[in-house]
Amino acid sequence: MSKFAIGIDLGGTNLKGIIMDQQGHGRHVTRIPTEAHRGGSRVMENILRLIDELIAKEGSKEHLLGVGIGTPGFVGEDGMLLGGAENLPGWKGTQIYVPIRQRFNLPAVAANDVTVMALAESRFGAARDVKNVICLAMGTGIGGGIVIDGRLYKGTHGMAGELGHVSVDPEGLPCNCGQKGCIERYASANGVAEMAIRMCKEAMEQTAFVELVRSDESGVTSKLVYDYVCRMLARAVGMYCNIFAPDRIVLGGGLMMAGRVILDEVVKHAGSYCFSDIWERCKVVIAECGEDAGVMGAAAMVFDEFSQFQGYQIVTESRTAVPAH
Amino acid sequence: MSKFAIGIDLGGTNLKGIIMDQQGHGRHVTRIPTEAHRGGSRVMENILRLIDELIAKEGSKEHLLGVGIGTPGFVGEDGMLLGGAENLPGWKGTQIYVPIRQRFNLPAVAANDVTVMALAESRFGAARDVKNVICLAMGTGIGGGIVIDGRLYKGTHGMAGELGHVSVDPEGLPCNCGQKGCIERYASANGVAEMAIRMCKEAMEQTAFVELVRSDESGVTSKLVYDYVCRMLARAVGMYCNIFAPDRIVLGGGLMMAGRVILDEVVKHAGSYCFSDIWERCKVVIAECGEDAGVMGAAAMVFDEFSQFQGYQIVTESRTAVPAH
């Protein structure tokens, strides 16, 4: 009997849901507003409403294995949002698994939204044929995800993968996290923009340079910025190589809309920041799952966690799965 | 029926072997010279001789599950030494598993010696009660090991865990690996000694400082060096936290003979180099397995890899394990 999973991607603006099979074929893709400004319990109600809508479209929950959710922040093993979701007021402290279990008698699993994207890339995207994968999502900030032997690595209390906060320059730009020189300060959308502004300011003070810029403004400035971004990113990529010796490093997020320009430059330099034995066996590639990565990875988690699940046996308030015989 | 494993630690001077049960109780600890200078095939012969001696002491190989080996360098999945064992001439390129299988009809598994130590600490030592563990062995250089969900993470081709070669200062001291500012250049025995020499030289040029040193020579110099070492080590520890969110970081190796002096100082600073949510849930501790960590971790690998193993079915030259029924 084939099984399906619900995957939900919790964004600041929209909740997106999918029903998907284990091979990554999805249907009933649905969006409703998150209503983040109305607080954590409203967000939870909307998640339940989205699950309702998906089940209604499917017609039955008979073949559903469970619900997977990608969310900003850290999720504890018991389904409590532990922190790190600053743009969702009141979401921290919310219990995610219990309401889903109570309303639908379905097991739930949640993890950080970027780590979930990494799982999608490793299962269905740019790293679907390998086992050990590092994924960087370079958007406003930088998030990371780690897939070890084909499974999502969440770390203690779901907090692993803060790959945007490794320092590539300990005396560099101060980061919101309290450190200096985090790669997020250089290779995120915000970081690139700030760097461009700073370089332009510096250029104003160097006459010869300004003349150069004036002679070919668009080209020179952006190239300077990108060279710098790529060099910093190459340092971080080299570091991930020495630590993980991964099969593949997947670069995604809005910044990678620039595509091969960044990729080629990073690949050119990263080898000088790690062991050649490791570098020769690692490929750096661009993400492939696009905007569906979140829901697909969330649904994929369900198959990983509950493929033996056969329904709750309500004995006490604690979650008890009856194993398959 | 209880089962036992052979664990072997391949050092530059000695080969050490143990027969151990799954709970970490060992017997028949044996040492023979490695004879590294006589080349890779001689080292392999000595490994076979050591296994012979251990089996002779045990009286039979009836209850033996397999052979685990911790070795310098990287080991491929097929048991080929791929590189990184510079102090063992001719060891690179040696096939480790086949001779053991042919001579003893036992399966073998090998991994980098420091990663194997990490497994020992996570199974029997300072991290035996937790799942996600980072281990640093600070000796002449710095090696690292990663345990994920209780199992050794080897990375692609066994190369993961080069934790001594993350840069804590990209404009810092050049490292043999080609990078600058690797933590190995600061927090290894060699690194500390070089730093002491450099600081003394600099001190010679600063009269006020020299007078300070003269007034309390022993105290001031070593404190200066250690403060610097610990600050750099704290940076690296913070980085491992942000990447892995581990339950525990285990510090071992010769440098940790200084014990709590280093530990306390690292713990004091590391929290400022990572997220507080992660830091609050991670403990930094001193290694406990001592000089047996190598053989114990090597034997532990055998239980992880071959607990279902019931003997080879020789069909072709390829390794075929018959699963338990």
Side-chain angles (χ1 to χ4, degrees):
Chain A
M1 185 183 65
S2 55
K3 284 280 185 184
F4 298 91
I6 290 181
I8 294 175
D9 185 19
L10 168 49
T13 309
N14 283 312
L15 282 166
K16 185 175 166 186
I18 197 172
I19 288 183
M20 193 188 85
D21 70 15
Q22 198 156 6
Q23 283 68 49
H25 305 119
R27 56 174 186 258
H28 310 311
V29 179
T30 305
R31 270 184 202 77
I32 62 172
T34 306
E35 299 186 299
H37 61 286
R38 302 186 66 174
S41 56
R42 182 57 171 246
V43 170
M44 192 66 226
E45 280 169 35
N46 286 334
I47 288 176
L48 297 175
R49 189 158 67 82
L50 179 62
I51 298 171
D52 255 338
E53 286 189 20
L54 286 164
I55 292 174
K57 285 187 179 179
E58 182 72 12
S60 142
K61 66 186 181 69
E62 193 187 346
H63 297 300
L64 288 178
L65 204 55
V67 179
I69 300 168
T71 167
F74 313 128
V75 185
E77 278 183 20
D78 63 345
M80 181 74 81
L81 208 292
L82 295 175
E86 287 80 9
N87 59 343
L88 295 171
W91 184 234
K92 181 177 168 176
T94 305
Q95 165 54 248
I96 305 176
Y97 298 170
V98 170
I100 295 174
R101 182 181 75 213
Q102 287 177 340
R103 174 99 147 248
F104 304 104
N105 194 35
L106 285 174
V109 55
N112 175 271
D113 49 0
V114 179
T115 68
V116 159
M117 285 172 55
L119 184 63
E121 290 296 336
S122 93
R123 215 45 73 73
F124 313 114
R128 63 185 168 276
D129 49 342
V130 295
K131 287 192 307 181
N132 299 313
V133 183
I134 300 301
C135 192
L136 277 199
M138 299 181 288
T140 319
I142 294 187
I146 301 166
V147 173
I148 297 285
D149 286 331
R151 290 182 70 99
L152 193 56
Y153 172 62
K154 299 180 188 175
T156 305
H157 307 282
M159 296 182 190
E162 286 289 353
L163 303 179
H165 298 277
V166 300
S167 176
V168 290
D169 185 2
E171 304 304 325
L173 302 173
C175 182
N176 289 337
C177 78
Q179 284 198 85
K180 286 181 181 172
C182 290
I183 182 64
E184 175 168 297
R185 288 305 315 275
Y186 304 94
S188 66
N190 284 349
V192 171
E194 276 177 43
M195 206 155 12
I197 293 166
R198 210 173 53 250
M199 281 185 174
C200 284
K201 273 190 191 154
E202 283 170 14
M204 297 294 280
E205 291 154 17
Q206 295 171 34
T207 323
F209 181 81
V210 172
E211 270 168 30
L212 187 65
V213 172
R214 274 190 193 130
S215 69
D216 182 9
E217 196 162 343
S218 61
V220 176
T221 311
S222 74
K223 189 172 180 333
L224 270 179
V225 174
Y226 270 102
D227 280 359
Y228 192 62
V229 168
C230 291
R231 185 60 83 124
M232 288 305 199
L233 195 52
R235 276 187 188 171
V237 164
M239 212 179 279
Y240 307 143
C241 279
N242 274 356
I243 293 172
F244 290 103
D247 299 290
R248 209 152 292 171
I249 295 177
V250 180
L251 304 180
L255 204 81
M256 289 308 291
M257 301 296 270
R260 292 212 67 88
V261 184
I262 293 182
L263 184 72
D264 291 347
E265 201 63 19
V266 169
V267 167
K268 199 165 97 188
H269 296 297
S272 60
Y273 296 113
C274 60
F275 285 101
S276 59
D277 281 333
I278 294 175
W279 181 242
E280 285 161 11
R281 293 166 171 90
C282 176
K283 239 171 110 177
V284 184
V285 296
I286 298 177
E288 289 179 6
C289 288
E291 60 172 24
D292 283 339
V295 288
M296 292 176 78
M301 274 197 300
V302 173
F303 293 105
D304 287 2
E305 295 277 327
F306 306 120
S307 54
Q308 298 300 310
F309 184 82
Q310 301 254 303
Y312 286 111
Q313 196 175 39
I314 308 290
V315 179
T316 67
E317 262 308 284
S318 75
R319 224 174 97 190
T320 314
V322 180
H325 292 291
Chain B
M1 186 184 65
S2 55
K3 284 280 185 184
F4 298 91
I6 290 181
I8 293 175
D9 185 19
L10 167 48
T13 308
N14 282 311
L15 282 167
K16 185 175 165 185
I18 198 172
I19 289 184
M20 193 188 84
D21 70 14
Q22 198 156 6
Q23 283 68 48
H25 305 119
R27 56 174 185 259
H28 309 312
V29 178
T30 305
R31 271 184 201 76
I32 63 172
T34 306
E35 299 186 299
H37 61 284
R38 301 185 66 173
S41 55
R42 182 56 171 247
V43 171
M44 193 65 226
E45 280 169 33
N46 286 334
I47 288 176
L48 297 175
R49 188 157 68 82
L50 180 62
I51 297 172
D52 254 339
E53 286 189 21
L54 286 164
I55 292 174
K57 285 186 180 179
E58 182 72 11
S60 144
K61 66 185 180 73
E62 191 187 347
H63 297 301
L64 289 178
L65 204 55
V67 179
I69 299 167
T71 167
F74 313 127
V75 185
E77 278 183 20
D78 62 346
M80 180 75 81
L81 209 292
L82 295 175
E86 286 79 10
N87 59 343
L88 295 171
W91 185 233
K92 181 177 168 175
T94 304
Q95 165 53 249
I96 305 176
Y97 298 170
V98 170
I100 294 174
R101 183 180 74 214
Q102 287 178 341
R103 174 98 147 249
F104 305 103
N105 194 34
L106 284 174
V109 55
N112 175 271
D113 49 359
V114 179
T115 69
V116 159
M117 285 172 55
L119 184 63
E121 291 296 337
S122 94
R123 216 43 75 72
F124 313 113
R128 63 186 169 276
D129 49 343
V130 295
K131 288 192 307 183
N132 299 312
V133 183
I134 300 301
C135 192
L136 277 199
M138 298 181 288
T140 320
I142 294 187
I146 301 166
V147 174
I148 297 284
D149 286 330
R151 290 182 69 99
L152 193 56
Y153 172 62
K154 299 181 188 175
T156 305
H157 307 283
M159 295 180 192
E162 286 290 353
L163 303 179
H165 297 277
V166 300
S167 176
V168 291
D169 185 1
E171 303 306 324
L173 302 173
C175 182
N176 290 338
C177 78
Q179 284 197 87
K180 285 181 182 172
C182 289
I183 182 63
E184 176 168 297
R185 288 306 314 274
Y186 303 94
S188 66
N190 284 351
V192 170
E194 275 177 43
M195 205 152 17
I197 293 166
R198 210 173 52 251
M199 281 187 174
C200 284
K201 273 189 191 154
E202 283 170 16
M204 298 294 279
E205 291 153 17
Q206 295 170 35
T207 323
F209 182 81
V210 170
E211 269 167 32
L212 188 66
V213 172
R214 275 193 191 129
S215 70
D216 182 10
E217 195 162 343
S218 60
V220 175
T221 311
S222 73
K223 190 173 179 333
L224 270 179
V225 175
Y226 270 103
D227 279 359
Y228 192 63
V229 168
C230 291
R231 185 59 83 124
M232 289 304 199
L233 195 52
R235 276 187 187 170
V237 163
M239 212 179 279
Y240 307 143
C241 279
N242 274 355
I243 293 172
F244 290 103
D247 300 289
R248 209 151 292 172
I249 295 178
V250 180
L251 304 181
L255 204 80
M256 289 308 290
M257 301 296 269
R260 292 212 67 86
V261 184
I262 293 182
L263 184 72
D264 292 346
E265 201 62 20
V266 169
V267 168
K268 199 165 97 188
H269 296 297
S272 60
Y273 296 113
C274 60
F275 285 101
S276 59
D277 280 334
I278 294 175
W279 180 241
E280 285 161 11
R281 292 165 171 92
C282 176
K283 238 170 111 178
V284 184
V285 296
I286 298 177
E288 290 180 6
C289 288
E291 60 172 22
D292 283 340
V295 287
M296 291 176 78
M301 275 198 299
V302 173
F303 293 105
D304 287 2
E305 296 277 326
F306 306 120
S307 53
Q308 298 300 310
F309 184 82
Q310 301 253 304
Y312 286 112
Q313 196 175 39
I314 309 290
V315 179
T316 67
E317 261 307 284
S318 74
R319 223 174 98 190
T320 315
V322 180
H325 293 290

